[in-house]
Amino acid sequence: MQNSKLKIIETNKLNLFYGAFHALIDVNLQVKPRMITGLIGPSGCGKSTLLRVFNRMNDLIDGVKISGSVKFENKEILSDAIDLITLRKRIGMVFQRPNPFPLTIFENVAYGLRIHGEGSRLVLDEAVQKSLTAVLLWDELKDKLSLSALELSLEQQQRLCIARLLAVTPDLLLMDEPCSSLDPLATMRIEELMNELKKEYTIIIVTHNMQQAARVSQECGFMLLGELVEFGDTKQIFTAPRDKRTDDYITGRYG
Amino acid sequence: MKRPFEFIIEKLVLISGLASIIFVVLIFVFLLKEGLSLFGQENLWGFLFGQNWYPISDPPQFGILPLILGSFLVTLGAIIIAVPLGLASAIYVAEVAPSGIRDVLKTGIELLAAIPSIVLGFIGIVTLAPFLKNVFHLSSGLTALAGSIMLAFMAMPTIVSIIEDSIVSVPKSYKEGSLALGATRWQTIYRVILPAASSGILAAIMLGIGRVVGETMAVLMITGNAAVMPTSFLQPVRTLTATVAAEMGEAVAGSGHYYALFAIGIVLFVISFAINLLADWFLHRGKKKRKKR
Ligand SMILES: Nc1ncnc2c1ncn2[C@@H]1O[C@H](COP(=O)(O)OP(=O)(O)OP(=O)(O)O)[C@@H](O)[C@H]1O
Ligand SMILES: [Mg+2]
């Protein structure tokens, strides 16, 4: 892969320790733009940890040590010189449990713009409409923008959280089990949304659900005990895995 | 068949539980009986809004408006000082301080709560009052402002610890969501955490007010004790509580003065009750909001 345009994220010998616990071991990963990359693996293997490296959310945890290199669009992001605010503006994150703020629907979507200094009502109005339209909530909610976001259904809340990210026009969306608190129908609709979004955004999704990874992702990585065991084309991973451990996992011989 | 030992324990617990209710009822009945007797010789309007408190002149005048305003002024001042300070320290303790400093601060705040009010009162007399006297060129530093400052110290521990609790119990996911969008720590505190903790903050303010309104000894010592209509913070005032404390000893049982002091007790009771009710309502509302998630 000589052409650096073909990867938006590249990690090299990435290691992460929680105190003495070695949570990521020599992870080498390349994520290509404008597609969905899945990360699967049993509970506790380090999927969330890896995802949180990309927007430096692990900085919030005491005692985390990281070594190696992580490049976002060819810029090293583990360096102290990186501006976290800009980085997190460009790399948005969707959490496992929808976490809209206890503010109105409008203010939730406008939040990102406001904190980055946008005050013009016109700009905000337009961004809110555009973002909610992108997550297919606009028609449902356009008359309820001043309602508290906590009144929405879980699926709507998760869509709102995605809209909240889109408003600041990120390049990369990190999704940590975005459907795990949703029912199957809502899950399906969020997956459709992801398929729509990948035309303009790069998405990395962590999921417990192998069918989901198989359905939505184009490339996929399997993690086990902190290692990225195998990474490649999703079809290949699910039909002809190269590593015995991947095979065991996707055929259900692991927990 | 229950064992006799358990039977006895059970009844003892029941009696203790009932005792507190019985005491409250008895106190309330006594307070009402004595306090309401005043209204044979004074009407309610004259009592609450009369501007003269001359309980032992002839004829006596039982207007408590100067006392109500005295309490109000001292409380207002204390809250104006204590709430911003308390809010700031709670934010610092809950969100900013590294854990070592946090523990020291929390201990300090608890110690502040442990200082007897009389000690604060005489420290106020010997340090604060002369200081205020010099700064504002007054004839005496014993003023409403002195009372407000001392009471602010007393209310701080309550205010800080309740606000801190409510900040800490804001779901962590809000904070993560905000930081992950690129917000700074201050933006996150100001735009997400404080609004989410607002019920707790209001409750803390209410309970702080309750603490201040009910305080007696320190205000008795430090506010200058003049039962006149207050017009400024730099003037001696007298609060409802200080009046009762100062005059109960000399009031002749069964006299109008005596009943008037009990009637002040009723007024204080109503104020405290209302404040506690409000605080409770805010706390409850906060819990309900959170449960919805
Ligand atoms: N803050 C922390 N301090 C110490 N250890 C942690 C911390 N967070 C996670 N770990 C450990 O690191 C390992 C990886 O955790 P991580 O949350 O990344 O796993 P995961 O693959 O996302 O699991 P799940 O599928 O259950 O979400 C686990 O063994 C976990 O116990
Ligand atoms: Mg996880």
Side-chain angles (χ1 to χ4, degrees), chain B residues 6-51:
Chain B
E6 291 202 1
F7 179 80
I8 293 171
I9 293 281
E10 202 183 298
K11 292 301 163 209
L12 274 177
V13 172
L14 175 71
I15 291 170
S16 322
L18 285 180
S20 61
I21 296 178
I22 292 168
F23 280 131
V24 169
V25 170
L26 283 179
I27 289 171
F28 191 61
V29 167
F30 186 72
L31 191 64
L32 274 185
K33 176 175 150 289
E34 302 290 75
L36 293 181
S37 306
L38 173 71
F39 298 107
Q41 49 184 293
E42 172 73 72
N43 63 37
L44 182 62
W45 183 262
F47 174 66
L48 287 178
F49 299 105
Q51 301 199 2

Side-chain angles (χ1 to χ4, degrees), chain A:
Chain A
M1 217 170 296
Q2 292 303 322
N3 189 349
S4 63
K5 280 252 156 52
L6 276 182
K7 54 212 172 198
I8 185 164
I9 286 270
E10 179 173 21
T11 77
N12 215 316
K13 289 245 163 69
L14 171 66
N15 281 274
L16 184 143
F17 291 85
Y18 289 116
F21 179 72
H22 202 168
L24 293 178
I25 306 167
D26 281 336
V27 173
N28 298 315
L29 169 76
Q30 296 185 338
V31 176
K32 297 193 191 111
R34 311 251 159 142
M35 63 162 70
I36 301 179
T37 300
L39 287 174
I40 56 171
S43 194
C45 66
K47 306 181 294 291
S48 301
T49 304
L50 179 58
L51 209 59
R52 292 163 62 95
V53 167
F54 301 144
N55 63 349
R56 296 270 304 265
M57 284 300 275
N58 289 316
D59 286 20
L60 300 180
I61 302 168
D62 287 337
V64 173
K65 284 192 300 287
I66 309 182
S67 67
S69 143
V70 178
K71 290 200 171 125
F72 170 59
E73 297 184 335
N74 286 319
K75 257 181 78 185
E76 179 59 50
I77 61 166
L78 294 183
S79 108
D80 285 336
I82 197 88
D83 174 19
L84 280 188
I85 290 174
T86 313
L87 180 76
R88 288 174 180 165
K89 196 176 153 189
R90 301 191 56 199
I91 305 184
M93 182 167 232
V94 180
F95 296 82
Q96 188 164 353
R97 265 195 74 78
N99 61 347
F101 304 129
L103 308 170
T104 64
I105 292 168
F106 183 91
E107 285 303 327
N108 262 278
V109 184
Y111 187 87
L113 289 169
R114 281 202 197 277
I115 58 174
H116 293 113
E118 183 56 67
S120 146
R121 185 74 199 192
L122 227 65
V123 176
L124 292 178
D125 277 343
E126 198 176 313
V128 168
Q129 172 166 5
K130 202 165 150 231
S131 310
L132 285 177
T133 308
V135 298
L136 309 176
L137 275 181
W138 177 253
D139 290 329
E140 267 168 88
L141 298 184
K142 62 172 180 264
D143 302 319
K144 303 180 186 167
L145 295 179
S146 54
L147 231 61
S148 166
L150 304 185
E151 310 274 330
L152 299 176
S153 74
L154 277 178
E155 183 202 341
Q156 288 175 319
Q157 290 189 5
Q158 196 62 300
R159 282 175 187 268
L160 183 71
C161 289
I162 297 173
R164 188 169 76 181
L165 299 182
L166 301 187
V168 294
T169 55
D171 301 302
L172 172 61
L173 301 177
L174 308 173
M175 302 193 170
D176 193 348
E177 305 186 35
C179 301
S180 63
S181 51
L182 305 182
D183 62 51
L185 200 65
T187 299
M188 213 181 73
R189 289 202 296 254
I190 295 279
E191 286 176 10
E192 280 166 15
L193 173 61
M194 292 174 63
N195 271 323
E196 237 2 81
L197 291 176
K198 77 162 187 262
K199 292 173 194 159
E200 283 181 64
Y201 302 89
T202 310
I203 298 177
I204 307 179
I205 178 176
V206 161
T207 174
H208 256 133
N209 178 333
M210 278 182 280
Q211 285 80 32
Q212 181 170 53
R215 278 194 304 264
V216 298
S217 74
Q218 286 74 59
E219 291 207 312
C220 186
F222 168 63
M223 294 185 69
L224 187 64
L225 299 173
E227 278 181 88
L228 182 63
V229 171
E230 183 165 355
F231 186 84
D233 183 71
T234 300
K235 261 206 213 83
Q236 173 254 312
I237 294 262
F238 280 97
T239 52
R242 281 187 292 263
D243 196 292
K244 167 115 187 4
R245 293 169 292 177
T246 315
D247 194 24
D248 285 346
Y249 184 70
I250 58 174
T251 51
R253 267 169 285 180
Y254 270 110

Side-chain angles (χ1 to χ4, degrees), chain A residues 83-86 88 111 115-116, chain B residues 95 175 178-193:
Chain A
D83 174 19
L84 280 188
I85 290 174
T86 313
R88 288 174 180 165
Y111 187 87
I115 58 174
H116 293 113
Chain B
E95 284 293 324
K175 191 166 136 188
S178 170
L179 293 174
L181 274 166
T184 64
R185 174 151 73 181
W186 291 111
Q187 289 173 326
T188 302
I189 289 173
Y190 158 76
R191 290 183 179 270
V192 177
I193 296 183

